[in-house]
Amino acid sequence: MTPSSKGDLFDPACPTRKLLDRIGTKWTSMAVKVLADAGPAEVRFADLQRRMPGVSQKMLSVTLQSLTRDGLVARRVEPTVPPKVHYRLTDLGRSLEVPLAALRTWAEEHMPAIDRANAAARD
């Protein structure tokens, strides 16, 4: 990272921009929330999908692959037929839950105002 990229959202090397590119989807934040709520326990793929209404198997798989590649989620496979796949947050992933929880709190407090502004703009 160059010194000029720090805090510069217009620079592709900006850490904030890079993070938002990786975690800025609803499925990512939902997966982190479900895994954080599970605590140190692991969650199987099918359980994750059940706890995330609307997510397709493919989208959940892509999301978990990305989180695993970024070191936020650990994946464990039991060599059974069919294989049982378990996921849990890493320490790094658990540290992400705090800022995501703050974002959820902000959204709960401010989305009504945003919705009102949108409705007024349509009128």
Side-chain angles (χ1 to χ4, degrees):
M1 175 176 73
T2 63
S4 64
S5 66
K6 186 176 182 180
D8 181 1
L9 289 174
F10 299 101
D11 185 334
C14 172
T16 303
R17 180 173 171 172
K18 289 169 67 174
L19 179 68
L20 289 173
D21 285 345
R22 286 192 168 96
I23 65 154
T25 71
K26 64 183 175 185
W27 302 124
T28 297
S29 60
M30 283 186 201
V32 169
K33 171 76 170 132
V34 169
L35 292 169
D37 286 350
E42 296 176 322
V43 180
R44 290 195 45 204
F45 184 93
D47 292 333
L48 272 166
Q49 190 171 16
R50 258 191 303 281
R51 296 180 198 181
M52 295 172 58
V55 70
S56 68
Q57 184 173 347
K58 179 179 171 65
M59 194 69 240
L60 181 55
S61 179
V62 166
T63 299
L64 290 168
Q65 287 172 7
S66 176
L67 289 167
T68 302
R69 182 180 56 248
D70 289 339
L72 300 169
V73 168
R75 179 178 186 264
R76 182 177 65 85
V77 180
E78 284 184 44
T80 58
V81 179
K84 293 180 182 176
V85 184
H86 305 265
Y87 297 90
R88 66 171 175 75
L89 288 179
T90 62
D91 290 342
L92 183 61
R94 276 193 296 283
S95 73
L96 182 59
E97 172 54 14
V98 172
L100 287 178
L103 184 61
R104 286 192 301 273
T105 298
W106 188 92
E108 290 164 5
E109 292 174 6
H110 298 285
M111 277 310 296
I114 292 170
D115 290 340
R116 285 191 300 276
N118 271 276
R122 287 192 298 268
D123 294 338

